[in-house]
Amino acid sequence: MRKINVDGTEIQVLKIEEDDYISLTDMVRKIHNGPALIEKWLRNKNTIEFLGIWEGMYNADFNTTAYEEIMLEAGLNRFIMSVKQWVSRTNS
């Protein structure tokens, strides 16, 4: 896995076939409240829907049952999702 440097921050780049993927968590790591930005983004039902479609297309191990349970809660005021929760619940 290679890395690029953006304004003094190392960002991992994963290459799968011809496509490059960058790490969002690396991008926000040095920003004040960066991890909170990711968690706020994950509270959005549209984000969860997008991630579900993406994982469904590219991840054969994606747990669609857990995803459907998450979608029932997504968008509610009490809904909270961290990256760690998303990964462990859905096999992302």
Side-chain angles (χ1 to χ4, degrees):
M1 189 176 318
R2 71 185 175 104
K3 295 182 180 183
I4 58 174
N5 190 303
V6 178
D7 291 335
T9 300
E10 279 193 347
I11 299 173
Q12 294 180 47
V13 180
L14 175 65
K15 186 169 195 77
I16 300 176
E17 296 177 9
E18 298 297 317
D19 298 316
D20 291 335
Y21 299 89
I22 60 174
S23 170
L24 292 176
T25 49
D26 284 353
M27 290 175 58
V28 299
R29 186 167 281 131
K30 291 192 177 183
I31 297 173
H32 178 68
N33 288 335
L37 287 174
I38 297 290
E39 288 184 12
K40 186 175 181 180
W41 180 65
L42 283 171
R43 290 190 67 185
N44 185 301
K45 188 170 188 157
N46 294 329
T47 299
I48 298 297
E49 185 176 30
F50 169 79
L51 291 173
I53 292 167
W54 178 271
E55 293 290 343
M57 291 173 61
Y58 299 105
N59 180 358
D61 296 324
F62 184 58
N63 185 337
T64 55
T65 303
Y67 167 72
E68 290 169 4
E69 292 171 2
I70 291 168
M71 280 301 291
L72 291 174
E73 297 177 35
L76 299 174
N77 287 338
R78 67 176 183 266
F79 178 71
I80 297 173
M81 180 63 59
S82 69
V83 172
K84 188 174 183 176
Q85 288 172 320
W86 173 259
V87 170
S88 67
R89 288 179 67 180
T90 64
N91 293 328
S92 294

